[in-house]
Amino acid sequence: MTHRWDFSEIGESARLCADLLSPSGKSSPRPKVNQVRTVARPAPALAKLATLTRPATIPGPTMLLGNTRQDRLQASLTAMCERGGFLGAVVADASGLCLAAVTPPIAEEQLAAFSSMLGEAMVHAGNLFTSGMANNLSLDINYTDKLAVRRFLFGGVPFCLVVLCPQTCDERAEVELSVDELQRILAP
Amino acid sequence: MATIIAIASHKGGVGKTTTALNLGYGLTRLGAKVLLVDGDPQGGLANASNLKRRTQAGLVQLLTNDRRANEMVTYTRDQRMAVIGAGVVTTDDVLQFEELALAGQLAISIRELAHDFDYVLIDAPAGIGGVVRGLLLACDSVIVTLNPRPLAVKSLPSFLKLIKSMADSDNPGLRLEGVLVTMMNAKSQVDASVFAQLQAQLPGAAMFATHIPFNEAFEVASLHATPVALLPAAALAARPYLDLALELKARELKAQAEESADDSSLGLF
């Protein structure tokens, strides 16, 4: 048995929806898939890695002294970048306040705020998928470079360490060492 | 300040309360802090969440007894989700609730409550009457729930006209979040035909890609006064509402990205 329904209300609804969604309307469009944004940018980290050598004078953890805690954080990040061949790094707290930054590729405040947002995204990912903590995020930002984000807690307060490095770089060990060091510096 | 979303429709029994409760739970799984507001004097959400076992007080008492807002909000075991009832106990309360809604007092209170949350989901009563108009005054957007049945579809234009009328006059910030198809029975020829017509005719942005299939687990969940995801072995039933929460977040992020898009930008670095 076939039915012939009157769908005129759907047509009327469609016109009303189109009206509500018109440019002056404010509804957000349904996300489109396969929408790729092309970014024609050089990949500076890989080029820098090729020229890097490991000088004997790079300070180790015990050499990281300074008058203020910020000096020591800065020195620790600088040493980490030099040891690991990272292009830049930033450490920020959960609110996006930049504690220290080394050659940030964009304004350090922007990178710190972005780090804090990524840190929060990791918490959400942890809640959603594992009911636990997700503390590491690796984000390819072009064909050759990546951002590696390491979220860590100190005194129950979340912080984020973000490094920019080539995708071929195995940054984990260097980052873990630096997190230990950062926690020691942050300790009162 | 939270995003305030009404779950509403002209027709009753189309899954508004179920959507408010389960979408709210889905958003908490994404880390958001969610307040569920029972805007229906019948107290559907208060029943569905078992709030009435904890307190009968709600919005009416908040507005009439000069009570502090945080005293009236009841947190669930998961501290990321809280519920406030309508507070309608007597027939006088119903009249008072309607008067407060029409006077805009309800909207002011809901906006004040929203400060402590990421999302406020309002379970609106069925219809296009004064209470619904009063609740829509407080809202940023509306999710219209719809069964893919001819009678439900017939009521859709009148509700969309209400949203348009509110957006044109009393609440210029109000927008249609989307039409959500609920209780979809894929085996029914009627449901399939109506759903196909909705997909074919409604603009893509006006309809959620996620739809909620009919599942008896929702009935079981309402017996237990719990989101369906908390039932053992109800993962299949719970999945669409988690998908809906993700779709809502994706729409929100996309809208934010579009607002902040700078055509001259060449990317992050």
Side-chain angles (χ1 to χ4, degrees), chain A residues 8-22 25 27, chain B residues 153-165 167-168 176 179 201-203 206:
Chain A
S8 60
E9 286 85 3
I10 298 181
E12 187 183 358
S13 298
R15 285 189 292 279
L16 285 162
C17 285
D19 208 10
L20 281 163
L21 299 170
S22 64
S27 285
Chain B
V153 166
K154 283 184 187 301
S155 69
L156 182 59
S158 55
F159 199 84
L160 293 172
K161 281 178 189 165
L162 172 67
I163 298 174
K164 178 143 181 25
S165 143
D168 287 343
L176 173 67
V179 174
Q201 295 197 42
L202 292 190

PDB file of all heavy atoms in Angstrom, chain A residues 8-22 25 27, chain B residues 153-165 167-168 176 179 201-203 206:
ATOM      1  N   SER A   8       3.470  19.851   2.746  1.00  0.00           N
ATOM      2  CA  SER A   8       3.552  21.303   2.554  1.00  0.00           C
ATOM      3  C   SER A   8       4.118  22.008   3.782  1.00  0.00           C
ATOM      4  O   SER A   8       4.794  23.031   3.668  1.00  0.00           O
ATOM      5  CB  SER A   8       2.177  21.866   2.215  1.00  0.00           C
ATOM      6  OG  SER A   8       1.292  21.581   3.281  1.00  0.00           O
ATOM      7  N   GLU A   9       3.865  21.443   4.990  1.00  0.00           N
ATOM      8  CA  GLU A   9       4.405  22.085   6.198  1.00  0.00           C
ATOM      9  C   GLU A   9       5.933  22.034   6.219  1.00  0.00           C
ATOM     10  O   GLU A   9       6.572  22.919   6.767  1.00  0.00           O
ATOM     11  CB  GLU A   9       3.871  21.419   7.474  1.00  0.00           C
ATOM     12  CG  GLU A   9       2.435  21.745   7.800  1.00  0.00           C
ATOM     13  CD  GLU A   9       1.470  20.838   7.086  1.00  0.00           C
ATOM     14  OE1 GLU A   9       1.928  19.910   6.382  1.00  0.00           O
ATOM     15  OE2 GLU A   9       0.241  21.059   7.198  1.00  0.00           O
ATOM     16  N   ILE A  10       6.472  20.972   5.631  1.00  0.00           N
ATOM     17  CA  ILE A  10       7.943  20.900   5.598  1.00  0.00           C
ATOM     18  C   ILE A  10       8.486  21.985   4.684  1.00  0.00           C
ATOM     19  O   ILE A  10       9.468  22.647   4.985  1.00  0.00           O
ATOM     20  CB  ILE A  10       8.423  19.498   5.159  1.00  0.00           C
ATOM     21  CG1 ILE A  10       7.954  18.454   6.177  1.00  0.00           C
ATOM     22  CG2 ILE A  10       9.946  19.468   5.029  1.00  0.00           C
ATOM     23  CD1 ILE A  10       8.398  17.041   5.869  1.00  0.00           C
ATOM     24  N   GLY A  11       7.789  22.192   3.554  1.00  0.00           N
ATOM     25  CA  GLY A  11       8.207  23.265   2.649  1.00  0.00           C
ATOM     26  C   GLY A  11       8.139  24.621   3.332  1.00  0.00           C
ATOM     27  O   GLY A  11       9.052  25.444   3.211  1.00  0.00           O
ATOM     28  N   GLU A  12       7.049  24.834   4.071  1.00  0.00           N
ATOM     29  CA  GLU A  12       6.901  26.105   4.789  1.00  0.00           C
ATOM     30  C   GLU A  12       7.987  26.243   5.864  1.00  0.00           C
ATOM     31  O   GLU A  12       8.581  27.316   6.040  1.00  0.00           O
ATOM     32  CB  GLU A  12       5.507  26.167   5.432  1.00  0.00           C
ATOM     33  CG  GLU A  12       5.203  27.519   6.047  1.00  0.00           C
ATOM     34  CD  GLU A  12       3.842  27.549   6.745  1.00  0.00           C
ATOM     35  OE1 GLU A  12       3.122  26.529   6.715  1.00  0.00           O
ATOM     36  OE2 GLU A  12       3.526  28.599   7.334  1.00  0.00           O
ATOM     37  N   SER A  13       8.268  25.122   6.550  1.00  0.00           N
ATOM     38  CA  SER A  13       9.324  25.143   7.570  1.00  0.00           C
ATOM     39  C   SER A  13      10.677  25.449   6.943  1.00  0.00           C
ATOM     40  O   SER A  13      11.483  26.182   7.499  1.00  0.00           O
ATOM     41  CB  SER A  13       9.404  23.787   8.286  1.00  0.00           C
ATOM     42  OG  SER A  13       8.199  23.516   8.942  1.00  0.00           O
ATOM     43  N   ALA A  14      10.888  24.892   5.753  1.00  0.00           N
ATOM     44  CA  ALA A  14      12.168  25.124   5.071  1.00  0.00           C
ATOM     45  C   ALA A  14      12.341  26.601   4.761  1.00  0.00           C
ATOM     46  O   ALA A  14      13.418  27.171   4.949  1.00  0.00           O
ATOM     47  CB  ALA A  14      12.234  24.299   3.788  1.00  0.00           C
ATOM     48  N   ARG A  15      11.249  27.250   4.324  1.00  0.00           N
ATOM     49  CA  ARG A  15      11.336  28.692   4.025  1.00  0.00           C
ATOM     50  C   ARG A  15      11.600  29.483   5.300  1.00  0.00           C
ATOM     51  O   ARG A  15      12.412  30.422   5.315  1.00  0.00           O
ATOM     52  CB  ARG A  15      10.040  29.160   3.350  1.00  0.00           C
ATOM     53  CG  ARG A  15       9.923  28.719   1.892  1.00  0.00           C
ATOM     54  CD  ARG A  15       8.742  29.386   1.207  1.00  0.00           C
ATOM     55  NE  ARG A  15       7.443  28.932   1.721  1.00  0.00           N
ATOM     56  CZ  ARG A  15       6.851  27.791   1.349  1.00  0.00           C
ATOM     57  NH1 ARG A  15       7.430  27.000   0.466  1.00  0.00           N
ATOM     58  NH2 ARG A  15       5.686  27.455   1.853  1.00  0.00           N
ATOM     59  N   LEU A  16      10.930  29.085   6.394  1.00  0.00           N
ATOM     60  CA  LEU A  16      11.149  29.794   7.669  1.00  0.00           C
ATOM     61  C   LEU A  16      12.584  29.598   8.159  1.00  0.00           C
ATOM     62  O   LEU A  16      13.221  30.525   8.658  1.00  0.00           O
ATOM     63  CB  LEU A  16      10.155  29.282   8.722  1.00  0.00           C
ATOM     64  CG  LEU A  16       8.716  29.789   8.560  1.00  0.00           C
ATOM     65  CD1 LEU A  16       7.745  28.917   9.336  1.00  0.00           C
ATOM     66  CD2 LEU A  16       8.616  31.238   9.034  1.00  0.00           C
ATOM     67  N   CYS A  17      13.073  28.370   8.029  1.00  0.00           N
ATOM     68  CA  CYS A  17      14.460  28.093   8.452  1.00  0.00           C
ATOM     69  C   CYS A  17      15.432  28.921   7.630  1.00  0.00           C
ATOM     70  O   CYS A  17      16.373  29.513   8.162  1.00  0.00           O
ATOM     71  CB  CYS A  17      14.787  26.610   8.289  1.00  0.00           C
ATOM     72  SG  CYS A  17      14.040  25.572   9.528  1.00  0.00           S
ATOM     73  N   ALA A  18      15.188  28.964   6.315  1.00  0.00           N
ATOM     74  CA  ALA A  18      16.090  29.739   5.450  1.00  0.00           C
ATOM     75  C   ALA A  18      16.081  31.198   5.879  1.00  0.00           C
ATOM     76  O   ALA A  18      17.109  31.869   5.889  1.00  0.00           O
ATOM     77  CB  ALA A  18      15.654  29.591   4.002  1.00  0.00           C
ATOM     78  N   ASP A  19      14.905  31.673   6.265  1.00  0.00           N
ATOM     79  CA  ASP A  19      14.782  33.058   6.728  1.00  0.00           C
ATOM     80  C   ASP A  19      15.576  33.253   8.021  1.00  0.00           C
ATOM     81  O   ASP A  19      16.303  34.225   8.188  1.00  0.00           O
ATOM     82  CB  ASP A  19      13.298  33.338   6.972  1.00  0.00           C
ATOM     83  CG  ASP A  19      12.973  34.799   6.776  1.00  0.00           C
ATOM     84  OD1 ASP A  19      13.850  35.512   6.280  1.00  0.00           O
ATOM     85  OD2 ASP A  19      11.854  35.214   7.126  1.00  0.00           O
ATOM     86  N   LEU A  20      15.432  32.279   8.928  1.00  0.00           N
ATOM     87  CA  LEU A  20      16.159  32.382  10.209  1.00  0.00           C
ATOM     88  C   LEU A  20      17.665  32.277  10.004  1.00  0.00           C
ATOM     89  O   LEU A  20      18.450  32.790  10.794  1.00  0.00           O
ATOM     90  CB  LEU A  20      15.699  31.272  11.167  1.00  0.00           C
ATOM     91  CG  LEU A  20      14.377  31.515  11.880  1.00  0.00           C
ATOM     92  CD1 LEU A  20      13.833  30.219  12.458  1.00  0.00           C
ATOM     93  CD2 LEU A  20      14.542  32.534  12.989  1.00  0.00           C
ATOM     94  N   LEU A  21      18.064  31.561   8.964  1.00  0.00           N
ATOM     95  CA  LEU A  21      19.500  31.351   8.730  1.00  0.00           C
ATOM     96  C   LEU A  21      20.082  32.353   7.742  1.00  0.00           C
ATOM     97  O   LEU A  21      21.238  32.242   7.369  1.00  0.00           O
ATOM     98  CB  LEU A  21      19.735  29.941   8.165  1.00  0.00           C
ATOM     99  CG  LEU A  21      19.306  28.782   9.048  1.00  0.00           C
ATOM    100  CD1 LEU A  21      19.373  27.480   8.280  1.00  0.00           C
ATOM    101  CD2 LEU A  21      20.168  28.704  10.284  1.00  0.00           C
ATOM    102  N   SER A  22      19.286  33.306   7.317  1.00  0.00           N
ATOM    103  CA  SER A  22      19.777  34.288   6.332  1.00  0.00           C
ATOM    104  C   SER A  22      20.946  35.061   6.926  1.00  0.00           C
ATOM    105  O   SER A  22      21.145  35.039   8.133  1.00  0.00           O
ATOM    106  CB  SER A  22      18.658  35.239   5.954  1.00  0.00           C
ATOM    107  OG  SER A  22      18.294  35.974   7.097  1.00  0.00           O
ATOM    108  N   GLY A  25      20.429  36.412   9.919  1.00  0.00           N
ATOM    109  CA  GLY A  25      20.147  35.401  10.917  1.00  0.00           C
ATOM    110  C   GLY A  25      21.442  34.925  11.517  1.00  0.00           C
ATOM    111  O   GLY A  25      22.508  35.161  10.977  1.00  0.00           O
ATOM    112  N   SER A  27      22.132  31.601  12.985  1.00  0.00           N
ATOM    113  CA  SER A  27      22.410  30.188  13.255  1.00  0.00           C
ATOM    114  C   SER A  27      23.720  29.749  12.640  1.00  0.00           C
ATOM    115  O   SER A  27      24.057  30.149  11.531  1.00  0.00           O
ATOM    116  CB  SER A  27      21.290  29.325  12.699  1.00  0.00           C
ATOM    117  OG  SER A  27      20.178  29.446  13.537  1.00  0.00           O
TER     118      SER A  27
ATOM    119  N   VAL B 153       5.115  17.230  12.374  1.00  0.00           N
ATOM    120  CA  VAL B 153       5.640  18.118  11.324  1.00  0.00           C
ATOM    121  C   VAL B 153       4.683  19.284  11.075  1.00  0.00           C
ATOM    122  O   VAL B 153       5.107  20.411  10.819  1.00  0.00           O
ATOM    123  CB  VAL B 153       5.890  17.299  10.036  1.00  0.00           C
ATOM    124  CG1 VAL B 153       6.092  18.212   8.856  1.00  0.00           C
ATOM    125  CG2 VAL B 153       7.106  16.403  10.224  1.00  0.00           C
ATOM    126  N   LYS B 154       3.375  19.011  11.200  1.00  0.00           N
ATOM    127  CA  LYS B 154       2.395  20.080  10.970  1.00  0.00           C
ATOM    128  C   LYS B 154       2.569  21.226  11.969  1.00  0.00           C
ATOM    129  O   LYS B 154       2.197  22.366  11.697  1.00  0.00           O
ATOM    130  CB  LYS B 154       0.971  19.513  11.055  1.00  0.00           C
ATOM    131  CG  LYS B 154       0.557  18.746   9.807  1.00  0.00           C
ATOM    132  CD  LYS B 154      -0.872  18.282   9.888  1.00  0.00           C
ATOM    133  CE  LYS B 154      -1.214  17.369   8.713  1.00  0.00           C
ATOM    134  NZ  LYS B 154      -1.033  18.001   7.416  1.00  0.00           N
ATOM    135  N   SER B 155       3.104  20.917  13.139  1.00  0.00           N
ATOM    136  CA  SER B 155       3.245  21.966  14.162  1.00  0.00           C
ATOM    137  C   SER B 155       4.566  22.726  14.035  1.00  0.00           C
ATOM    138  O   SER B 155       4.776  23.708  14.731  1.00  0.00           O
ATOM    139  CB  SER B 155       3.144  21.343  15.554  1.00  0.00           C
ATOM    140  OG  SER B 155       4.284  20.547  15.797  1.00  0.00           O
ATOM    141  N   LEU B 156       5.441  22.257  13.152  1.00  0.00           N
ATOM    142  CA  LEU B 156       6.767  22.878  13.076  1.00  0.00           C
ATOM    143  C   LEU B 156       6.732  24.336  12.597  1.00  0.00           C
ATOM    144  O   LEU B 156       7.377  25.203  13.207  1.00  0.00           O
ATOM    145  CB  LEU B 156       7.691  22.028  12.178  1.00  0.00           C
ATOM    146  CG  LEU B 156       9.131  22.493  12.016  1.00  0.00           C
ATOM    147  CD1 LEU B 156       9.851  22.572  13.357  1.00  0.00           C
ATOM    148  CD2 LEU B 156       9.907  21.569  11.068  1.00  0.00           C
ATOM    149  N   PRO B 157       5.982  24.667  11.530  1.00  0.00           N
ATOM    150  CA  PRO B 157       6.018  26.057  11.066  1.00  0.00           C
ATOM    151  C   PRO B 157       5.603  27.059  12.140  1.00  0.00           C
ATOM    152  O   PRO B 157       6.208  28.122  12.270  1.00  0.00           O
ATOM    153  CB  PRO B 157       5.028  26.070   9.896  1.00  0.00           C
ATOM    154  CG  PRO B 157       4.962  24.666   9.435  1.00  0.00           C
ATOM    155  CD  PRO B 157       5.149  23.828  10.652  1.00  0.00           C
ATOM    156  N   SER B 158       4.582  26.712  12.926  1.00  0.00           N
ATOM    157  CA  SER B 158       4.114  27.694  13.922  1.00  0.00           C
ATOM    158  C   SER B 158       5.205  27.960  14.959  1.00  0.00           C
ATOM    159  O   SER B 158       5.375  29.097  15.422  1.00  0.00           O
ATOM    160  CB  SER B 158       2.838  27.212  14.599  1.00  0.00           C
ATOM    161  OG  SER B 158       3.037  25.951  15.145  1.00  0.00           O
ATOM    162  N   PHE B 159       5.984  26.934  15.290  1.00  0.00           N
ATOM    163  CA  PHE B 159       7.040  27.170  16.288  1.00  0.00           C
ATOM    164  C   PHE B 159       8.188  27.983  15.679  1.00  0.00           C
ATOM    165  O   PHE B 159       8.754  28.853  16.337  1.00  0.00           O
ATOM    166  CB  PHE B 159       7.562  25.846  16.862  1.00  0.00           C
ATOM    167  CG  PHE B 159       8.263  26.073  18.168  1.00  0.00           C
ATOM    168  CD1 PHE B 159       7.552  26.149  19.351  1.00  0.00           C
ATOM    169  CD2 PHE B 159       9.630  26.275  18.218  1.00  0.00           C
ATOM    170  CE1 PHE B 159       8.176  26.427  20.548  1.00  0.00           C
ATOM    171  CE2 PHE B 159      10.261  26.554  19.412  1.00  0.00           C
ATOM    172  CZ  PHE B 159       9.529  26.623  20.582  1.00  0.00           C
ATOM    173  N   LEU B 160       8.492  27.692  14.425  1.00  0.00           N
ATOM    174  CA  LEU B 160       9.553  28.473  13.769  1.00  0.00           C
ATOM    175  C   LEU B 160       9.134  29.942  13.637  1.00  0.00           C
ATOM    176  O   LEU B 160       9.956  30.856  13.774  1.00  0.00           O
ATOM    177  CB  LEU B 160       9.873  27.877  12.395  1.00  0.00           C
ATOM    178  CG  LEU B 160      10.509  26.485  12.426  1.00  0.00           C
ATOM    179  CD1 LEU B 160      10.601  25.893  11.017  1.00  0.00           C
ATOM    180  CD2 LEU B 160      11.908  26.523  13.043  1.00  0.00           C
ATOM    181  N   LYS B 161       7.826  30.162  13.409  1.00  0.00           N
ATOM    182  CA  LYS B 161       7.326  31.549  13.335  1.00  0.00           C
ATOM    183  C   LYS B 161       7.501  32.246  14.679  1.00  0.00           C
ATOM    184  O   LYS B 161       7.811  33.438  14.738  1.00  0.00           O
ATOM    185  CB  LYS B 161       5.850  31.552  12.924  1.00  0.00           C
ATOM    186  CG  LYS B 161       5.640  31.337  11.439  1.00  0.00           C
ATOM    187  CD  LYS B 161       4.150  31.293  11.122  1.00  0.00           C
ATOM    188  CE  LYS B 161       3.945  30.849   9.682  1.00  0.00           C
ATOM    189  NZ  LYS B 161       2.572  30.447   9.416  1.00  0.00           N
ATOM    190  N   LEU B 162       7.289  31.480  15.759  1.00  0.00           N
ATOM    191  CA  LEU B 162       7.486  32.078  17.094  1.00  0.00           C
ATOM    192  C   LEU B 162       8.946  32.509  17.270  1.00  0.00           C
ATOM    193  O   LEU B 162       9.227  33.618  17.757  1.00  0.00           O
ATOM    194  CB  LEU B 162       7.092  31.070  18.182  1.00  0.00           C
ATOM    195  CG  LEU B 162       7.433  31.502  19.606  1.00  0.00           C
ATOM    196  CD1 LEU B 162       6.605  32.710  20.029  1.00  0.00           C
ATOM    197  CD2 LEU B 162       7.232  30.365  20.605  1.00  0.00           C
ATOM    198  N   ILE B 163       9.875  31.623  16.880  1.00  0.00           N
ATOM    199  CA  ILE B 163      11.299  31.967  17.023  1.00  0.00           C
ATOM    200  C   ILE B 163      11.602  33.219  16.199  1.00  0.00           C
ATOM    201  O   ILE B 163      12.270  34.149  16.672  1.00  0.00           O
ATOM    202  CB  ILE B 163      12.188  30.796  16.560  1.00  0.00           C
ATOM    203  CG1 ILE B 163      11.957  29.562  17.428  1.00  0.00           C
ATOM    204  CG2 ILE B 163      13.673  31.184  16.625  1.00  0.00           C
ATOM    205  CD1 ILE B 163      12.690  28.317  16.939  1.00  0.00           C
ATOM    206  N   LYS B 164      11.082  33.260  14.994  1.00  0.00           N
ATOM    207  CA  LYS B 164      11.358  34.418  14.122  1.00  0.00           C
ATOM    208  C   LYS B 164      10.771  35.685  14.727  1.00  0.00           C
ATOM    209  O   LYS B 164      11.423  36.738  14.744  1.00  0.00           O
ATOM    210  CB  LYS B 164      10.777  34.146  12.730  1.00  0.00           C
ATOM    211  CG  LYS B 164      10.958  35.291  11.775  1.00  0.00           C
ATOM    212  CD  LYS B 164      11.238  34.843  10.384  1.00  0.00           C
ATOM    213  CE  LYS B 164      11.456  35.999   9.427  1.00  0.00           C
ATOM    214  NZ  LYS B 164      11.904  37.238   9.975  1.00  0.00           N
ATOM    215  N   SER B 165       9.566  35.552  15.231  1.00  0.00           N
ATOM    216  CA  SER B 165       8.922  36.728  15.825  1.00  0.00           C
ATOM    217  C   SER B 165       9.712  37.224  17.038  1.00  0.00           C
ATOM    218  O   SER B 165       9.918  38.426  17.212  1.00  0.00           O
ATOM    219  CB  SER B 165       7.491  36.351  16.192  1.00  0.00           C
ATOM    220  OG  SER B 165       7.092  36.943  17.374  1.00  0.00           O
ATOM    221  N   ALA B 167      12.927  36.724  17.590  1.00  0.00           N
ATOM    222  CA  ALA B 167      14.223  37.238  17.132  1.00  0.00           C
ATOM    223  C   ALA B 167      14.066  38.620  16.486  1.00  0.00           C
ATOM    224  O   ALA B 167      14.980  39.444  16.527  1.00  0.00           O
ATOM    225  CB  ALA B 167      14.847  36.265  16.136  1.00  0.00           C
ATOM    226  N   ASP B 168      12.895  38.848  15.895  1.00  0.00           N
ATOM    227  CA  ASP B 168      12.664  40.148  15.247  1.00  0.00           C
ATOM    228  C   ASP B 168      12.299  41.242  16.242  1.00  0.00           C
ATOM    229  O   ASP B 168      12.354  42.419  15.910  1.00  0.00           O
ATOM    230  CB  ASP B 168      11.530  40.024  14.217  1.00  0.00           C
ATOM    231  CG  ASP B 168      11.988  39.261  12.977  1.00  0.00           C
ATOM    232  OD1 ASP B 168      13.210  39.140  12.795  1.00  0.00           O
ATOM    233  OD2 ASP B 168      11.127  38.781  12.221  1.00  0.00           O
ATOM    234  N   LEU B 176      18.050  29.990  15.749  1.00  0.00           N
ATOM    235  CA  LEU B 176      17.683  28.570  15.679  1.00  0.00           C
ATOM    236  C   LEU B 176      18.962  27.752  15.720  1.00  0.00           C
ATOM    237  O   LEU B 176      19.791  27.852  14.817  1.00  0.00           O
ATOM    238  CB  LEU B 176      16.917  28.304  14.380  1.00  0.00           C
ATOM    239  CG  LEU B 176      16.613  26.832  14.078  1.00  0.00           C
ATOM    240  CD1 LEU B 176      15.625  26.261  15.082  1.00  0.00           C
ATOM    241  CD2 LEU B 176      16.069  26.683  12.661  1.00  0.00           C
ATOM    242  N   VAL B 179      16.971  21.833  14.180  1.00  0.00           N
ATOM    243  CA  VAL B 179      15.850  20.909  14.394  1.00  0.00           C
ATOM    244  C   VAL B 179      16.457  19.534  14.672  1.00  0.00           C
ATOM    245  O   VAL B 179      17.318  19.078  13.913  1.00  0.00           O
ATOM    246  CB  VAL B 179      14.935  20.851  13.150  1.00  0.00           C
ATOM    247  CG1 VAL B 179      13.860  19.786  13.318  1.00  0.00           C
ATOM    248  CG2 VAL B 179      14.322  22.218  12.880  1.00  0.00           C
ATOM    249  N   GLN B 201      14.357  18.900   2.253  1.00  0.00           N
ATOM    250  CA  GLN B 201      13.814  20.257   2.113  1.00  0.00           C
ATOM    251  C   GLN B 201      14.400  21.281   3.080  1.00  0.00           C
ATOM    252  O   GLN B 201      14.527  22.452   2.724  1.00  0.00           O
ATOM    253  CB  GLN B 201      12.294  20.215   2.271  1.00  0.00           C
ATOM    254  CG  GLN B 201      11.607  19.430   1.147  1.00  0.00           C
ATOM    255  CD  GLN B 201      10.113  19.736   1.093  1.00  0.00           C
ATOM    256  OE1 GLN B 201       9.696  20.863   1.234  1.00  0.00           O
ATOM    257  NE2 GLN B 201       9.312  18.699   0.882  1.00  0.00           N
ATOM    258  N   LEU B 202      14.704  20.864   4.309  1.00  0.00           N
ATOM    259  CA  LEU B 202      15.219  21.855   5.265  1.00  0.00           C
ATOM    260  C   LEU B 202      16.661  22.219   4.897  1.00  0.00           C
ATOM    261  O   LEU B 202      17.430  21.358   4.475  1.00  0.00           O
ATOM    262  CB  LEU B 202      15.194  21.313   6.697  1.00  0.00           C
ATOM    263  CG  LEU B 202      13.834  21.073   7.345  1.00  0.00           C
ATOM    264  CD1 LEU B 202      14.004  20.782   8.833  1.00  0.00           C
ATOM    265  CD2 LEU B 202      12.903  22.269   7.190  1.00  0.00           C
ATOM    266  N   PRO B 203      17.048  23.488   5.066  1.00  0.00           N
ATOM    267  CA  PRO B 203      18.445  23.845   4.827  1.00  0.00           C
ATOM    268  C   PRO B 203      19.361  23.023   5.744  1.00  0.00           C
ATOM    269  O   PRO B 203      18.994  22.730   6.882  1.00  0.00           O
ATOM    270  CB  PRO B 203      18.499  25.329   5.209  1.00  0.00           C
ATOM    271  CG  PRO B 203      17.085  25.800   5.215  1.00  0.00           C
ATOM    272  CD  PRO B 203      16.230  24.619   5.519  1.00  0.00           C
ATOM    273  N   ALA B 206      19.956  23.952   9.261  1.00  0.00           N
ATOM    274  CA  ALA B 206      18.796  24.029  10.139  1.00  0.00           C
ATOM    275  C   ALA B 206      18.499  22.712  10.831  1.00  0.00           C
ATOM    276  O   ALA B 206      17.674  22.652  11.737  1.00  0.00           O
ATOM    277  CB  ALA B 206      17.577  24.467   9.338  1.00  0.00           C
TER     278      ALA B 206
END
